[in-house]
Amino acid sequence: MTKYIIRRLLQTIPVLIGVTILVFSLMHLVPGDPAQIVAGEGASEQTVENIRERLGLNESIPVQYGNFLGNAVQGDLGSSIRSGRPVMEEIASRFWVTFELAFYSTILAVFLGLIAGIVSAVRHYTLADTSIMIVALFGLSMPNFWFGLLLIQWFAIGNWMPESLEFLKMRPSGWGDSWRQIILPVVTLGTGGAAIIARMTRSSMLEVVGQDYIRTARAKGVSERLVTYRHALKNALIPVVTVVGLEFGGFLGGAVLTETIFAINGMGRLTIDAIRTRDFPVVQGTVLVISVIFVLVNLIVDISYRLLNKRIDLN
Amino acid sequence: MEKQELLKVEGLKQYFPIKGGFLGRTVNHVKAVDDISFTVYEGETVSIVGESGCGKSTTGRAILRLEEPTEGKVEFRGVNLADISKRQMRNYRKDLQIIFQDPYASINPRQTVASVLTEAMEIQKVLPANKRRHRVEELLETVGLLPYQADRFPHEFSGGQRQRIGIARALSVNPQLIICDEAVSALDVSIQAQVLNLLEELQEEFKLTYLFISHDLGVVRHISDRIIVMYLGKIMEIGDKTSLFENPKHPYTKALLSAIPVPDPDKKKERIVLRGDVPSPIDPPSGCRFHTRCPYATAKCKVEVPVLRTASSMKEGHEAACHYIEEIESGEKQPNY
Amino acid sequence: MSVPEIILEVKNLKTSFATDSGEVRAVDGVSFKLPKGQTIGIVGESGSGKSITSLSILRLLASNGKIKEGEVLYKGQDLLKFSEDQMRKLRGNEISMIFQEPMTSLNPVYTVGQQIGEALMLHQNMSKKEAHIRSVELLKLVGIPSPDKRVKNYPFELSGGMRQRVMIAMSLACDPEILIADEPTTALDVTIQAQILELIKELQDRLGMSVVFITHDLGVVAETCDYVAVMYAGQVVEYADIRSLFHYPKLPYTIGLLKSLPRHDIEQDKLEPIKGNVPSPHDMPVGCRFSPRCPAATDLCRAKMPQLETDEKGNQVRCWIYSEEWDGESEVNIYGETRIAKSRGTETVLPD
Ligand SMILES: Nc1ncnc2c1ncn2[C@@H]1O[C@H](COP(=O)(O)OP(=O)(O)OP(=O)(O)O)[C@@H](O)[C@H]1O
Ligand SMILES: Nc1ncnc2c1ncn2[C@@H]1O[C@H](COP(=O)(O)OP(=O)(O)OP(=O)(O)O)[C@@H](O)[C@H]1O
Ligand code: SF4
Ligand SMILES: [Mg+2]
Ligand SMILES: [Mg+2]
């Protein structure tokens, strides 16, 4: 197992290098002179020159990449053109916001998804199963931003909210430290995730329930309840773990729309703002950090899959 | 009549690399077939028997060059198949056909029987196109199917019928040698008997030679002239049918034969129950491969590899690879269970 | 000889499956008796309903399966009338089962010990620790080397033969009265099969169980069973003690089966195959199910289904030849053997 982890870690190195190359080339793939673009139209010759100097664009491309990589490894991603603060600092201040959102959303997704998936599988081909799967299909096909907007409409702006749910109303200040404000975005993200997990759990459970060892358990006199929870679920969860991990990774990197709708100052917002203002170092920084996180989440998912699935740990 | 050599296998080895380590280097080998030699004469049926994983199928595949052998020579009609080019090999493909165990897996489910059968003829250019249809119908009759079934799809046939289609396909190019890899193993007894009889009739009619791979010794006794017993990639014993079944010399052959239940409740026999499992072909036992399970094994067996030989009590052409053939026979060596 | 106690009797069992292409009558008339302490073999070709018969006995059918008719008498009580709770107390405790596929019949995420222990904790109220100790003993009983280490292994760490031993250990955990073994050696090599057969026989002698042994291998039957029920297309077509079945088979199908079996222990000239194929479950012949393939079939056979008739020894056969209604020759030639029509008992076969 240790051997596997080491091998897996080594394998991430080329992936990470690839990521840095991609991120680095972002700036150079844009048509035209990056410095000019950053400076904006109508900027003076001098400003453009300053920017070029600051971004190190005078060097040859390999040298630029070398500098970029060297700095990145030391945690230096340059500084924001807009605010002048180091990119790392900008990211750090936003990261935990996004992390919190992703974390709670994942918990909600797992909680709802598992229950729905198990009920669906145990009662398959009944009304309960069909209804759950229809709802899940809606959950899957409904874009997050649309659902988020609906929620805002209902709870934050709409007048048809019952008194008792009054506390859910969005504060005008946007993201604060109150747990109340986290609920709507978490519901937005979490229910979408729950739909995926529910479908995965259901199909995985149905597959497992048909296996020979389930029949063996029944032949031992194990009750239906225990057959489901002790024998089937543990096996069925193995592929679900992968989905949960990837979802968490996805929430960390891809909650851009949800963050925008709910005015949350997370990583997604940061990226969007940076793109809008052509703040290249920040764009590079966020994309890099998100990619690295994704690679790491993947790694953890793979390793836990191995830990759970004894069968593939053969050599 | 002088027996004509058709196929000669010499020192055949087939090692499969095992990848491992950080960079996927080859860390070890599965020694699936490890230095075996035998000859198949024209018109006879030679069987290869042995337990799962002993290298039977690998031998068949290596002969057909479906996998390049690691080492060794495969001569067909005196031509070393390893020496010839891919293009020349194609000409030999026609003479060497194979029938697999799973009649489902080896036939494309989207093709009609007719197109399955003509395909091989097209590739090998055995007949002008306008004569092929007629040949298809002829072939179907030969294997006991009906000509009108030519336009049906494989799923419309039963397992036994599908196996007949496999046989018809092999026959379509007028081969000389057919390798039957567990060709009847998946069939029920009543159907298996039909297919075995068919194979025998076809052999007579078309002067075919069979290399018959099977783990079922009943089937093997029925169909073969000579038999090769393999264990962990090596030949343990080889001989004509009567010698091998009536006068087996290798302790493994004896154990194998005694392990098979006999469909006769009054025939209670002494059974040699072997201990333990078959060792892995990755690190096969040193010396005699069978020594870890052999009831007669000594220290010598652990180090010295026994060669195939004919002891004085054995008929010509009957060989076994055991150090103690004579001693076991005379009772000088007793099994230690 | 005293009449042995019948521990299990199946009477005219019928089990169907609802499928997209209609009802599949997988088991359609199965009857047999198992005397206490003895072994009955159920033989038949693939798809003849052997596994479904055994699953029906324990009522472990897939959700689309349903027992339509019949009785399963265990110690005189009809299991088909038991509540689900009563059945559960029986399964793995008084009647246990081992399956065809040792590779997939163990749960991959639990250790061997956990899986054996489960039945013990369930039926015998053992604590975890007691169950563990007993599991080690059971592994030792079935001949697994260093059982105290193996008990902590996961199934993937064991070979096929070892897994089947584990399955046997598991099924023996609660000292069952009846062991149902569904092709326990089919997936194994002959030398390993020999080990497992020996083991089952030895344990049976030691523990006094009765065994239902399902297989398609007539050699295995001859070697392990006292009685045999031959199945064809969902029905028991012949039931006899082992010697009668192999020496004086009555049913044309059984005779054909024995004649088409290639043997390694004797030299045979030619096999005598049964013509044609097993009927599809969707398209069963109206009369005798074997009639389209039977060399002796008459109009009667094709029109009317024969019933199981019992002879003086208690053996049964489902064939018109031996009934008073038979409309063919009085000496019937079947695959080179002669049977006397309308006869019951041993005079069926001409003396040599
Ligand atoms: N392509 C391959 N790569 C690695 N190992 C292989 C390969 N093909 C076969 N082997 C191994 O070689 C050994 C011999 O395999 P082979 O298929 O020849 O056995 P066999 O005698 O035909 O067995 P069976 O009766 O199960 O068909 C086995 O241990 C198998 O796992
Ligand atoms: N769940 C199911 N739904 C529909 N048909 C089924 C189902 N299970 C079994 N059958 C059918 O019941 C028939 C009998 O099956 P069974 O498994 O008892 O055969 P068997 O005698 O055990 O054969 P084998 O030797 O191949 O194990 C087959 O035709 C099979 O297709
Ligand atoms: S009843 Fe008729 S068809 Fe059926 S087995 Fe007997 S003789 Fe043959
Ligand atoms: Mg093979
Ligand atoms: Mg079965």
Side-chain angles (χ1 to χ4, degrees):
Chain A
M1 195 62 212
T2 350
K3 227 171 145 183
Y4 172 74
I5 294 175
I6 294 173
R7 190 165 73 215
R8 219 31 208 79
L9 275 172
L10 288 179
Q11 276 169 2
T12 56
I13 292 175
V15 178
L16 287 176
I17 290 177
V19 166
T20 56
I21 291 176
L22 269 179
V23 168
F24 169 75
S25 17
L26 272 181
M27 189 174 292
H28 297 275
L29 287 176
V30 202
D33 176 6
Q36 181 70 53
I37 293 170
V38 170
E41 263 166 67
S44 72
E45 195 74 6
Q46 188 53 43
T47 322
V48 175
E49 200 46 51
N50 282 347
I51 286 175
R52 181 169 297 131
E53 185 70 24
R54 249 183 77 193
L55 295 178
L57 292 173
N58 290 324
E59 312 278 354
S60 72
I61 299 253
V63 172
Q64 282 185 43
Y65 175 69
N67 289 341
F68 171 74
L69 190 63
N71 290 337
V73 169
Q74 291 163 33
D76 176 8
L77 294 171
S79 41
S80 162
I81 292 175
R82 206 163 42 121
S83 68
R85 287 170 62 198
V87 173
M88 233 15 202
E89 240 171 67
E90 291 262 2
I91 290 177
S93 68
R94 313 291 188 91
F95 178 76
W96 290 109
V97 175
T98 298
F99 183 85
E100 213 177 329
L101 175 63
F103 183 73
Y104 290 126
S105 302
T106 309
I107 290 189
L108 181 70
V110 169
F111 182 74
L112 285 182
L114 279 187
I115 293 180
I118 293 170
V119 168
S120 219
V122 172
R123 312 245 144 111
H124 75 287
Y125 299 138
T126 62
L127 186 65
D129 175 29
T130 320
S131 340
I132 289 174
M133 281 305 117
I134 289 175
V135 172
L137 191 64
F138 268 111
L140 266 186
S141 14
M142 189 158 28
N144 270 337
F145 69 88
W146 169 243
F147 186 54
L149 285 175
L150 274 184
L151 286 177
I152 293 176
Q153 176 86 351
W154 286 337
F155 290 113
I157 306 168
N159 298 323
W160 358 284
M161 187 159 49
E163 286 287 314
S164 54
L165 287 174
E166 204 48 38
F167 69 88
L168 279 173
K169 266 202 167 154
M170 295 285 291
R171 303 290 138 98
S173 61
W175 194 257
D177 47 15
S178 161
W179 61 271
R180 283 172 190 169
Q181 282 141 344
I182 209 174
I183 290 180
L184 288 188
V186 162
V187 168
T188 308
L189 280 180
T191 46
I196 300 176
I197 293 176
R199 285 165 63 97
M200 189 72 204
T201 308
R202 176 180 184 268
S203 67
S204 173
M205 276 291 271
L206 285 182
E207 195 193 315
V208 167
V209 164
Q211 298 292 314
D212 290 347
Y213 53 80
I214 296 298
R215 195 180 54 189
T216 308
R218 292 205 175 102
K220 265 194 281 191
V222 176
S223 69
E224 267 325 287
R225 248 183 76 87
L226 282 183
V227 166
T228 306
Y229 292 104
R230 194 190 281 165
H231 288 271
L233 193 58
K234 200 165 167 189
N235 281 287
L237 283 185
I238 294 169
V240 176
V241 167
T242 316
V243 173
V244 171
L246 293 180
E247 245 170 43
F248 179 64
F251 290 160
L252 277 181
V256 174
L257 287 169
T258 310
E259 288 187 0
T260 313
I261 290 165
F262 290 97
I264 300 166
N265 271 325
M267 293 276 288
R269 264 295 278 291
L270 183 64
T271 317
I272 290 286
D273 287 347
I275 291 171
R276 226 179 26 226
T277 56
R278 285 172 240 132
D279 196 344
F280 265 109
V282 176
V283 175
Q284 281 182 327
T286 49
V287 172
L288 186 64
V289 168
I290 289 171
S291 311
V292 170
I293 288 171
F294 217 88
V295 170
L296 290 181
V297 168
N298 244 313
L299 180 70
I300 293 169
V301 166
D302 276 5
I303 291 173
S304 37
Y305 186 79
R306 288 285 279 228
L307 281 176
L308 282 171
N309 196 348
K310 302 277 187 312
R311 276 162 298 185
I312 55 173
D313 191 24
L314 267 175
N315 13 6
Chain B
M1 202 182 75
E2 181 70 1
K3 283 196 292 182
Q4 202 72 42
E5 266 181 21
L6 185 68
L7 179 79
K8 191 167 178 179
V9 173
E10 254 180 48
L12 183 70
K13 285 188 188 176
Q14 184 66 275
Y15 290 3
F16 296 107
I18 303 168
K19 306 280 184 202
F22 295 143
L23 303 165
R25 281 172 302 124
T26 300
V27 289
N28 213 333
H29 287 95
V30 179
K31 303 193 172 86
V33 170
D34 200 5
D35 193 5
I36 65 169
S37 307
F38 60 90
T39 309
V40 179
Y41 297 98
E42 215 163 309
E44 71 170 348
T45 301
V46 175
S47 292
I48 305 181
V49 298
E51 292 175 281
S52 181
C54 70
K56 305 182 295 291
S57 302
T58 307
T59 306
R61 297 174 62 80
I63 290 172
L64 288 179
R65 264 176 88 189
L66 296 176
E67 243 134 345
E68 287 299 322
T70 312
E71 230 182 278
K73 250 189 357 196
V74 175
E75 277 183 16
F76 184 73
R77 296 198 166 287
V79 178
N80 186 354
L81 296 184
D83 288 344
I84 61 179
S85 69
K86 279 256 148 68
R87 237 185 70 227
Q88 284 171 302
M89 184 64 200
R90 211 177 299 150
N91 296 332
Y92 283 97
R93 281 269 146 79
K94 166 180 142 345
D95 296 332
L96 294 157
Q97 287 291 306
I98 185 160
I99 307 171
F100 293 104
Q101 164 170 15
D102 188 355
Y104 249 135
S106 53
I107 297 175
N108 181 350
R110 280 169 223 277
Q111 277 182 312
T112 63
V113 171
S115 75
V116 167
L117 296 183
T118 38
E119 193 179 56
M121 293 189 231
E122 270 160 37
I123 297 170
Q124 299 295 348
K125 305 195 177 54
V126 265
L127 268 183
N130 56 1
K131 297 237 174 87
R132 285 185 194 142
R133 177 69 195 195
H134 181 70
R135 174 85 175 127
V136 163
E137 295 181 357
E138 219 175 67
L139 280 167
L140 288 180
E141 280 188 320
T142 313
V143 298
L145 296 170
L146 297 167
Y148 76 86
Q149 291 173 316
D151 298 310
R152 301 221 170 150
F153 289 91
H155 70 86
E156 297 173 62
F157 293 89
S158 70
Q161 289 175 321
R162 253 179 250 134
Q163 199 55 284
R164 286 167 191 266
I165 297 171
I167 295 172
R169 179 174 57 179
L171 285 178
S172 68
V173 293
N174 306 321
Q176 296 179 341
L177 176 75
I178 301 185
I179 299 180
C180 307
D181 189 353
E182 308 274 6
V184 297
S185 305
L187 306 175
D188 278 321
V189 224
S190 70
I191 310 296
Q192 176 179 289
Q194 296 172 2
V195 176
L196 283 176
N197 281 356
L198 172 67
L199 286 173
E200 281 180 328
E201 287 157 20
L202 294 174
Q203 177 163 42
E204 218 156 282
E205 193 176 337
F206 300 108
K207 304 275 168 288
L208 294 171
T209 307
Y210 293 134
L211 183 61
F212 199 90
I213 295 170
S214 177
H215 65 267
D216 184 332
L217 279 117
V219 169
V220 163
R221 174 162 199 171
H222 185 75
I223 197 147
S224 335
D225 299 306
R226 287 192 304 127
I227 291 149
I228 296 167
V229 180
M230 281 183 76
Y231 183 77
L232 273 178
K234 279 203 177 294
I235 295 181
M236 296 286 118
E237 187 160 1
I238 182 168
D240 64 283
K241 165 163 71 177
T242 324
S243 305
L244 205 112
F245 278 97
E246 302 296 340
N247 192 20
K249 288 298 174 204
H250 198 284
Y252 176 64
T253 315
K254 289 183 190 176
L256 195 63
L257 287 175
S258 87
I260 309 163
V262 177
D264 184 346
D266 289 337
K267 234 182 178 172
K268 295 285 176 221
K269 32 165 215 172
E270 262 315 285
R271 167 166 295 165
I272 309 164
V273 175
L274 291 178
R275 291 160 300 181
D277 287 318
V278 182
S280 150
I282 296 170
D283 276 308
S286 58
C288 174
R289 298 241 158 140
F290 186 53
H291 84 248
T292 54
R293 298 172 84 201
C294 181
Y296 300 98
T298 63
K300 181 178 173 188
C301 302
K302 285 185 194 163
V303 279
E304 231 174 275
V305 182
V307 290
L308 278 170
R309 66 199 175 92
T310 309
S312 56
S313 61
M314 293 158 76
K315 260 175 69 180
E316 195 199 322
H318 182 192
E319 295 176 304
C322 170
H323 294 305
Y324 297 111
I325 302 176
E326 292 83 359
E327 289 84 345
I328 293 170
E329 196 167 44
S330 67
E332 191 183 311
K333 266 191 84 54
Q334 287 297 317
N336 48 340
Y337 295 108
Chain C
M1 208 173 83
S2 68
V3 184
E5 184 197 339
I6 301 291
I7 189 154
L8 181 73
E9 178 171 8
V10 175
K11 280 187 179 165
N12 198 27
L13 182 73
K14 297 192 177 179
T15 301
S16 295
F17 288 94
T19 69
D20 294 340
S21 46
E23 186 189 15
V24 172
R25 292 154 87 171
V27 170
D28 199 16
V30 164
S31 308
F32 61 83
K33 287 182 192 154
L34 172 60
K36 193 172 163 54
Q38 309 246 324
T39 302
I40 181 167
I42 300 183
V43 274
E45 297 179 277
S46 183
S48 57
K50 306 181 296 290
S51 299
I52 301 304
T53 300
S54 62
L55 291 174
S56 301
I57 293 172
L58 273 181
R59 291 176 39 196
L60 287 172
L61 295 167
S63 55
N64 63 333
K66 205 172 152 85
I67 299 174
K68 288 280 163 88
E69 222 184 292
E71 285 172 281
V72 176
L73 302 171
Y74 167 66
K75 294 183 171 170
Q77 289 176 292
D78 188 358
L79 295 187
L80 303 185
K81 297 209 173 76
F82 273 33
S83 71
E84 186 46 38
D85 242 19
Q86 285 175 300
M87 275 315 285
R88 205 153 47 227
K89 295 212 175 80
L90 212 75
R91 289 183 199 132
N93 189 19
E94 290 183 52
I95 306 180
S96 61
M97 190 158 175
I98 37 184
F99 297 97
Q100 194 159 352
E101 287 298 333
M103 300 320 255
T104 53
S105 290
L106 289 167
N107 194 328
V109 299
Y110 292 105
T111 63
V112 162
Q114 286 170 326
Q115 297 190 54
I116 300 175
E118 187 173 24
L120 292 165
M121 287 154 68
L122 210 64
H123 297 300
Q124 311 206 326
N125 292 320
M126 282 195 186
S127 70
K128 219 174 185 156
K129 203 159 162 211
E130 289 167 324
H132 179 85
I133 294 167
R134 179 83 182 120
S135 302
V136 177
E137 283 171 15
L138 283 161
L139 288 180
K140 196 167 161 198
L141 180 74
V142 297
I144 288 188
S146 40
D148 49 328
K149 292 206 189 70
R150 288 298 184 187
V151 75
K152 293 182 203 121
N153 277 172
Y154 287 92
F156 76 86
E157 296 170 275
L158 306 175
S159 68
M162 295 255 252
R163 283 185 216 191
Q164 202 55 293
R165 282 172 193 264
V166 170
M167 281 297 289
I168 294 174
M170 202 155 91
S171 65
L172 296 180
C174 304
D175 285 330
E177 294 276 344
I178 300 178
L179 173 67
I180 303 178
D182 187 356
E183 313 228 17
T185 58
T186 304
L188 306 174
D189 276 325
V190 270
T191 59
I192 310 298
Q193 162 170 294
Q195 296 172 355
I196 300 288
L197 291 181
E198 205 89 339
L199 173 69
I200 293 179
K201 234 188 294 182
E202 184 196 315
L203 292 172
Q204 183 178 17
D205 289 347
R206 193 142 31 128
L207 309 173
M209 307 176 282
S210 317
V211 178
V212 178
F213 201 106
I214 295 172
T215 176
H216 63 264
D217 186 332
L218 286 160
V220 172
V221 171
E223 216 151 88
T224 49
C225 303
D226 304 299
Y227 293 88
V228 199
V230 180
M231 286 191 70
Y232 185 78
Q235 299 181 317
V236 165
V237 287
E238 183 158 9
Y239 168 82
D241 62 278
I242 188 85
R243 298 198 56 244
S244 302
L245 191 102
F246 279 93
H247 294 315
Y248 315 112
K250 287 181 165 184
L251 186 76
Y253 174 65
T254 316
I255 299 171
L257 214 52
L258 287 167
K259 292 270 176 181
S260 41
L261 191 66
R263 292 174 59 163
H264 78 279
D265 59 324
I266 50 169
E267 200 57 56
Q268 298 151 291
D269 313 334
K270 194 131 180 85
L271 299 175
E272 193 79 63
I274 300 172
K275 288 198 184 60
N277 281 300
V278 180
S280 137
H282 296 289
D283 189 19
M284 284 292 178
V286 272
C288 168
R289 298 211 162 150
F290 188 57
S291 61
R293 304 174 75 187
C294 180
T298 62
D299 289 345
L300 174 66
C301 303
R302 283 180 282 268
K304 236 170 106 184
M305 163 102 71
Q307 298 303 312
L308 272 178
E309 301 281 356
T310 311
D311 72 10
E312 59 207 16
K313 278 169 91 182
N315 292 341
Q316 295 179 311
V317 62
R318 191 190 284 276
C319 177
W320 285 121
I321 296 178
Y322 307 97
S323 85
E324 290 305 320
E325 290 171 62
W326 175 246
D327 59 345
E329 312 263 309
S330 59
E331 281 185 14
V332 191
N333 191 303
I334 308 155
Y335 301 113
E337 297 207 6
T338 311
R339 295 290 180 271
I340 299 171
K342 304 191 185 178
S343 61
R344 300 269 171 98
T346 38
E347 80 277 15
T348 312
V349 186
L350 288 175
D352 290 331

